[in-house]
Amino acid sequence: MSEPLLLAESLSVRFRRTTLASLIGRGRPDNVQAVADVHLAVGRGQSVGLVGESGCGKTTLGRALLRLIEPSAGRLMFDGRDLITLSESDLFAFRRRAQMVFQDPYGSLNPRLTVEETLSEVFSVHRLCPVSKIRERVRELMQRVGLSPDLSTRRPYSLSGGQCQRVGIARALAVGPELIIADEPVSALDVSIQAQILNLFETLQHDMRLSLLFISHDLGVVRHLCRMVAVMYLGRIVEFGPTEAVFESPRHPYTQALIAAMPRLDVEGSLPRRGLAGEPPSPVAVPPGCPFHPRCPEAMPVCRNDPVPEERVEGRVKVRCHLYPLPMHA
Amino acid sequence: MILAGLSLQACRRSRIPSALWAGAGLTLFWLLLAVGAPVIAPYDPIAQDLTRTLTGPSLAHPLGTDNFGRDVLSRIIWGTRLDLAMGIIGVAVPFAIGCCIGLIAGYLGGLAEMLLMRILDVTISFPFFVLVIAIISLLGPGLTSFFIAVSLVGWVSYARLVRSQILVLKHMDFVQAARALGYGRLRIMMRHLLPNAVVPAIVFSMSDIVLVILLGSSLSYLGLGAQPPAAEWGVMIAEGQTFMASAWWISFFPGLAIVGLAFGFSLLGDGLAELFGSRE
Amino acid sequence: MTTSLLEVRDLCVTFDTSRGPVRAVRAVAFSLAPAEVMGLVGESGSGKSVSCRALMRLLPPRGVRMSGVALFQGRDILALPEEELRDLRGTELAMIFQNPSSHLNPVMPVGDQIAEPVLVHEGASRRQARARAAELLRQVGIPDPDSQLDRYPHQFSGGMRQRVMIAAALACRPKLLIADEPTTALDVTVQAQILRLLLELRDRSGLAIVLISHNLGVIAQTCDSVSVMYGGRVVERGSKRDVLSRPHHPYTEALIRSQPESAPLGAPLPTIEGQPPAPSELPTGCAFHPRCPYAQPVCVEEAPPLEETQDGRRSACWRWPELAARSGVTP
């Protein structure tokens, strides 16, 4: 099996907020462990879903993987090269190979620039083609994402949400990346438009052999689009494996709860009678031991005291849970 | 979101606020007056005619003459240049300085921000007028000193406005997208942040023009700004002060002109605020 | 059949904008029985939120024209004078919204916000109102309610704030609750909790609920009946089971098909071309015709009326018999 395109090992992101108290030596700075000890791999041409609820750190992780936020610990490799120690110029070159699509269709575009200006800027900054050819390339790009070329003189406020999102995707594609990290790209769109954009992702992925990390809170969408799925809770990946395997028999109690709570279009169905109590906690106050134990229906005494040290493999799925025994060493 | 938009439109009848029309019109009037002074003014503003001193409004001199026989109307028309210049330059320079400082402080953060904000804090803790007058006294009275003083003190509000906008903008997705695309800091600041951050500063500058015009003419009245025989309205009011009882027109019409100019910019500012506010 | 709690007929809402009148809601009709949960489904621009705000008379006073009849317990609430409506609002009729943060007063303790309708409408004493507030917090599942009464909204999480808003809405025991996308901004596990809570409240007190949502899964799990809206009109209405398994309108059918769970893994999702029209740019005739795979020339000229198709179901489509004859959509 070939090496993954993107590999994160023991990746952590911690935010420190220096408070006035800590500056004068009284009290410690606020530490928010947004991402803790994450192992994640995205293969070439593979689509990986990253799901979780608010506060789980999936957006922070997505940005850290592109070094938009600096990781505080761990290893990050892209195509075999260490990302964390990249020089300025190498980082610039990396930006041509991995891009991001954002959640808010309107917020992800500069309101003062037209579509043409937004897209041409990418070509000119990265010198992707001679200046005279930029217009043509922009047209091609717009067609590829399903935008009519006469929208090129419009500004975001006169475009629909779906159209804005297509511009965002076009902008990410302009550099010809091998990896796209999509952070909740369809959450802000109408249902019928969601389907169009999802199809677009699928087509692009297929035509361009793109690797895709698809971050979403919508399990239904991830199930449809991604071959692999990672479930995140409070900065940790609690389950990772082939989508069908995870959905058919989820191992981690949190994954089980998420799947049970998914609104299903089943006319005979009704709300599950019992579900997870409480709310997703804030990463400022992480419970000791396994962070899920306060809400976990299967919590054991060990869960309260010991954080789960490493992943256990159950079939093709990796889980971080005390319920699953560590592999026996021969 | 659609509901909000429809409701807003329902409450607003025309697209361009009436204040904007009125303000723009009035301001345009003063601009034309200033530009066309050589052609429009009937007399030379500093030409004295000692045979016709202190004459009231008449056909030959619609706004009367002052104690040197100079035509008040012509002086007012020529004075438009000075007062308009005071307002515009007195705001443009602080605007430019403030935007740069706010931009740098807001985006770069860290040491640069801390340093610039402390300088700002020190400047702002002095009363505005006191500081301006102190600087003018140091440099000697005159319009140049006035511009220098206002520039050194007035940038503060703009810096704050721009910085607070930048603090919000820099976390927005389109800025993150620019970073993800590898755009350099200068490009992000000038092309993506600044154009989006200046709007509140522009709206503020309109009311600032009013204040600076009033400041400038007040200082000139006190002898610290424009110097006689310049046909500046504040100077004219000062010169006419001793004749308030007998030749009221010497001070009255310049006063009216100040009000008119300030009113024009004020309306313009209101209109712009409404226009930008409704676009949000 | 049953005496309706709410019967809406011919509801129209037109906004007077600078670019001319915009008909956001066009002849909407639906009815609701006591203890019935009706789902109101639609995408942006469908008019679902505007219709409900019109019923509660929460639209801006100027620049908006409303017409139609809305019989609530026999009285036309659209024609009521303001003071009588104010008595109804908060007591018999209540509404909760999508974003609890913007509908809760940030500088008022939650206990006071819940007690306020009781004080205002029932003339209770402060102590009685406070006791009722604590009881309501308990009913909506907030632990240790007495200690929570004096806390402020920002001290609660999103799901908790939504519960507080529900408690305030239920303070005077309304008969009808309009819930405008109450769980859209919430996490999926919290969403399940809130939906469960709403159904419990219905079971316990016979509360009728209008649940506005764009999420068919949510509707499928909670509602008894469904009204589908498009382009300011109700295009299909019926029991949940009927509408979601055998839709009688092309839009409903297309909406169901475009859900990710409908398509086999990896296959492209069947999509609806184009996008939902803005109320200011509605096509002629049937608003769905530009995107409809069944469109015919008559659809461009004339909008089909909402008429009865089969036992209590209604559809606004010229070709509903063909749709009714199909075996159904596999969700």
Side-chain angles (χ1 to χ4, degrees), chain A residues 12-271:
Chain A
S12 298
V13 180
R14 179 158 19 137
F15 296 115
R16 305 178 73 106
R17 236 186 22 193
T18 41
T19 58
L20 202 55
S22 69
L23 273 179
I24 60 174
R26 282 164 172 277
R28 283 168 305 128
D30 270 345
N31 265 333
V32 178
Q33 189 82 33
V35 175
D37 202 22
V38 157
H39 304 295
L40 189 66
V42 182
R44 289 167 208 278
Q46 195 181 50
S47 54
V48 175
L50 183 59
V51 295
E53 297 180 298
S54 32
C56 71
K58 53 193 194 298
T59 294
T60 309
L61 177 58
R63 293 186 191 203
L65 290 172
L66 285 186
R67 271 197 66 188
L68 284 178
I69 295 179
E70 291 302 321
S72 17
R75 275 177 76 205
L76 190 56
M77 314 278 285
F78 184 81
D79 198 14
R81 288 182 64 189
D82 183 35
L83 268 188
I84 299 190
T85 55
L86 272 188
S87 65
E88 274 296 320
S89 50
D90 286 336
L91 191 60
F92 186 68
F94 164 67
R95 299 264 172 249
R96 271 198 286 270
R97 304 179 67 184
Q99 271 304 310
M100 193 159 205
V101 175
F102 298 84
Q103 173 173 4
D104 181 2
Y106 294 96
S108 64
L109 299 179
N110 184 337
R112 302 236 170 269
L113 297 181
T114 62
V115 172
E116 172 110 35
E117 286 168 345
T118 298
L119 295 177
S120 333
E121 191 175 17
V122 186
F123 286 102
S124 55
V125 170
H126 284 273
R127 313 230 179 111
L128 297 172
C129 65
V131 177
S132 52
K133 292 268 190 262
I134 291 185
R135 208 120 192 254
E136 202 183 300
R137 295 283 296 267
V138 167
R139 294 254 174 299
E140 275 169 21
L141 197 53
M142 285 176 75
Q143 272 175 340
R144 176 113 61 96
V145 298
L147 280 173
S148 148
D150 41 74
L151 292 176
S152 60
T153 49
R154 299 246 198 123
R155 291 196 165 76
Y157 66 80
S158 54
L159 294 173
S160 72
Q163 288 167 329
C164 283
Q165 203 58 300
R166 289 178 199 262
V167 176
I169 295 173
R171 180 181 53 192
L173 288 177
V175 290
E178 295 156 57
L179 166 71
I180 287 197
I181 297 187
D183 189 357
E184 305 258 24
V186 295
S187 309
L189 303 174
D190 276 319
V191 170
S192 57
I193 310 295
Q194 267 192 32
Q196 294 174 9
I197 302 293
L198 287 178
N199 282 351
L200 177 61
F201 270 110
E202 234 163 351
T203 314
L204 291 171
Q205 214 218 332
H206 183 261
D207 291 347
M208 299 168 60
R209 279 267 300 164
L210 266 182
S211 302
L212 183 64
L213 179 66
F214 196 93
I215 302 175
S216 180
H217 65 273
D218 189 333
L219 290 155
V221 164
V222 166
R223 185 177 195 174
H224 174 79
L225 193 61
C226 308
R227 294 263 165 258
M228 306 283 289
V229 66
V231 181
M232 247 180 120
Y233 188 82
L234 266 191
R236 290 143 183 85
I237 294 199
V238 297
E239 191 158 352
F240 178 60
T243 310
E244 268 327 284
V246 171
F247 273 81
E248 238 139 73
S249 46
R251 277 117 178 123
H252 196 283
Y254 178 61
T255 317
Q256 291 166 354
L258 265 188
I259 291 177
M262 241 170 83
R264 248 184 216 82
L265 189 52
D266 173 13
V267 290
E268 300 304 329
S270 53
L271 280 173

Side-chain angles (χ1 to χ4, degrees), chain B residues 11-222:
Chain B
C11 295
R12 218 175 13 104
R13 282 291 160 160
S14 78
R15 292 188 79 174
I16 302 193
S18 48
L20 193 53
W21 282 120
L26 196 48
T27 309
L28 198 62
F29 163 73
W30 290 113
L31 264 165
L32 288 174
L33 216 58
V35 166
V39 180
I40 303 175
Y43 298 90
D44 182 339
I46 53 177
Q48 301 183 2
D49 183 357
L50 295 167
T51 60
R52 311 276 286 278
T53 62
L54 300 175
T55 59
S58 62
L59 268 175
H61 297 278
L63 297 185
T65 60
D66 66 3
N67 49 323
F68 287 112
R70 300 177 291 198
D71 177 40
V72 174
L73 176 63
S74 306
R75 283 175 67 75
I76 287 185
I77 293 176
W78 278 91
T80 311
R81 290 191 163 190
L82 289 173
D83 285 82
L84 209 51
M86 284 198 300
I88 293 181
I89 301 180
V91 162
V93 179
F95 180 89
I97 299 178
C99 283
C100 286
I101 294 185
L103 186 58
I104 295 173
Y107 190 58
L108 295 182
L111 197 60
E113 179 179 27
M114 222 171 32
L115 210 64
L116 291 170
M117 286 297 110
R118 300 296 82 79
I119 296 178
L120 184 146
D121 288 336
V122 168
T123 313
I124 215 173
S125 53
F126 286 94
F128 182 72
F129 292 126
V130 171
L131 203 52
V132 168
I133 291 178
I135 297 177
I136 294 183
S137 311
L138 267 171
L139 299 172
L143 267 183
T144 333
S145 311
F146 168 76
F147 287 132
I148 295 178
V150 170
S151 305
L152 284 177
V153 183
W155 60 269
V156 176
S157 313
Y158 297 101
R160 265 192 171 169
L161 278 171
V162 169
R163 174 176 167 262
S164 61
Q165 283 291 100
I166 301 256
L167 286 180
V168 169
L169 283 169
K170 72 177 178 181
H171 296 293
M172 290 195 72
D173 282 348
F174 72 87
V175 176
Q176 296 303 312
R179 289 183 60 219
L181 284 161
Y183 295 171
R185 286 205 289 211
L186 193 62
R187 172 174 280 268
I188 292 181
M189 285 201 288
M190 300 308 289
R191 195 148 200 254
H192 294 275
L193 286 172
L194 193 58
N196 288 300
V198 286
V199 173
I202 292 179
V203 174
F204 178 80
S205 68
M206 289 295 129
S207 46
D208 205 25
I209 290 186
V210 174
L211 292 174
V212 171
I213 291 174
L214 292 176
L215 174 67
S217 41
S218 307
L219 287 176
S220 306
Y221 167 84
L222 291 173

Side-chain angles (χ1 to χ4, degrees), chain C residues 184-203:
Chain C
T184 303
L186 300 175
D187 283 316
V188 77
T189 48
V190 180
Q191 170 171 274
Q193 294 169 8
I194 298 292
L195 292 175
R196 207 173 294 127
L197 171 63
L198 287 175
L199 289 183
E200 265 169 36
L201 292 167
R202 184 273 301 266
D203 292 335

Side-chain angles (χ1 to χ4, degrees), chain C residues 63-147:
Chain C
V64 179
R65 283 175 284 143
M66 276 189 339
S67 68
V69 165
L71 294 177
F72 179 67
Q73 293 181 136
R75 294 160 76 189
D76 183 7
I77 50 179
L78 293 179
L80 280 183
E82 190 64 32
E83 313 86 60
E84 289 186 48
L85 182 72
R86 231 176 291 155
D87 287 333
L88 268 188
R89 246 194 258 152
T91 51
E92 310 274 309
L93 278 175
M95 189 160 181
I96 59 174
F97 305 88
Q98 175 174 345
N99 191 350
S101 315
S102 35
H103 291 95
L104 287 173
N105 187 337
V107 296
M108 205 177 175
V110 301
D112 291 350
Q113 295 193 49
I114 299 174
E116 198 172 13
V118 181
L119 281 172
V120 168
H121 292 285
E122 297 185 10
S125 74
R126 291 219 63 186
R127 189 170 326 161
Q128 287 172 322
R130 205 178 149 83
R132 174 92 72 85
E135 170 61 26
L136 283 162
L137 282 181
R138 199 186 53 78
Q139 277 183 18
V140 297
I142 291 186
D144 199 12
D146 294 296
S147 63

Side-chain angles (χ1 to χ4, degrees), chain C residues 3 6 20 23 30 42-43 47 50 58 74 144 165 187 209 214 220 228 231 252 272 296 311 316 329:
Chain C
T3 46
L6 175 70
R23 298 170 66 206
F30 58 80
E43 298 176 292
V50 177
L58 289 175
D144 199 12
M165 195 156 71
D187 283 316
I209 303 177
H214 62 271
V228 180
T252 317
I272 320 179
Q296 286 175 319
D311 4 273
V329 183

